[in-house]
Amino acid sequence: MKIEKILLIIIKIIFILTAVVLFIFLLSQDLVWSGKIEIKTDFFKFSPRISILKPQPRIILEEGNKVIGEPIWFDVSLPRDFQKASLEITYQDDNNYLIKIGPNTGADWDYKELTDIITDGNNKIGKLDFDMTGKNINNGKLRFSLTIPNFDINKPIYIKKVKMIFERPELLSEGLWLNLVNYFNYARSQF
Amino acid sequence: MPDLNFKDKIYKIFLAIIRDAFYCLFVFLLITGMIEAFKPGFLLNCFNLSWLLGLLLTLGAITVLFSYPEIRVSRKIKLLCHSAVFLTSVIMGIIIIYFLREIGPWNILAGICSVFICYFFIILSIKEKYD
């Protein structure tokens, strides 16, 4: 066999293997085999897993996500069912507002107050944990709302970053069959 | 004296690489696109559709332009430009990619169909003249 033919076959095999590896990668991401996904955004750039801050009239994007009204919210796209979620929000607030964040539960919101706040220069970092049972996920999207009860429109806050970690049992601990059953049940109920 | 035969071989290998890359990406997008239609986010939560479609169209265009050496490249470009369906498909693709922020299953299907139609008519328009 000529060397060119061998070379072409090797190249073909490399392409096919790359496509297979990419497919397995997509599968592992969607099935969350590691049991954990991390979603980060600064709300400036389009992100497939997390929406921009809404409603838009309450946010001035050009001034660094300046919040001029409340409540505001964002949607998170979840590839499958999760048990726990933790949220870390970085924001600038010179007025020491009491901020509440929570996912939608249908008719209501599972609001929690940001209490253990760390100061990092001008920014503040707050963390919250949520139980994901009974949350209202629609078409694979879960809405999180942020509310500031004593908000003054003349004293805005700035949302800098949001990092979320969603957790569920790993593939090995849950078992392949149960993992797939849960995945298909979620997909069937959502889409 | 330069080895013309060697040049030809390199050209053929280059063309084969581009063609294989195109077909691999095409099949990959077809399969993952179909899954995306039933399970939104499967492909698009990890990859940017505009990049993938852009890469696919670029590879497809290179494959077409470098294939059929009997037809001049200028003639191929002319044929491509004359194909109204080709242009419509490209415009449709651009609209889908750039103007729809919330990409859903129907947009994905429409995108895949536009690529299908686009590639089909490129091949058809060139093959017709060639045959």
Side-chain angles (χ1 to χ4, degrees), chain B residues 27-93:
Chain B
V27 172
F28 175 77
L29 281 183
L30 194 66
I31 294 168
T32 51
M34 280 192 286
I35 297 172
E36 178 79 34
F38 295 103
K39 173 70 178 62
F42 181 81
L43 174 69
L44 298 183
N45 277 350
C46 296
F47 293 109
N48 189 329
L49 184 68
S50 54
W51 281 101
L52 287 173
L53 286 183
L55 182 65
L56 185 78
L57 287 172
T58 310
L59 290 174
I62 292 172
T63 308
V64 169
L65 291 175
F66 283 85
S67 301
Y68 308 108
E70 294 81 2
I71 306 173
R72 278 179 290 122
V73 172
S74 57
R75 179 82 185 133
K76 288 178 192 173
I77 294 168
K78 211 174 174 185
L79 284 169
L80 290 178
C81 293
H82 281 191
S83 170
V85 180
F86 168 74
L87 286 174
T88 314
S89 309
V90 170
I91 290 164
M92 203 171 109

Side-chain angles (χ1 to χ4, degrees), chain B residues 36-37 40 44 49 96 100-110:
Chain B
E36 178 79 34
L44 298 183
L49 184 68
I96 289 164
L100 293 173
R101 286 289 175 264
E102 298 269 323
I103 297 167
W106 290 110
N107 309 132
I108 309 297
L109 275 179

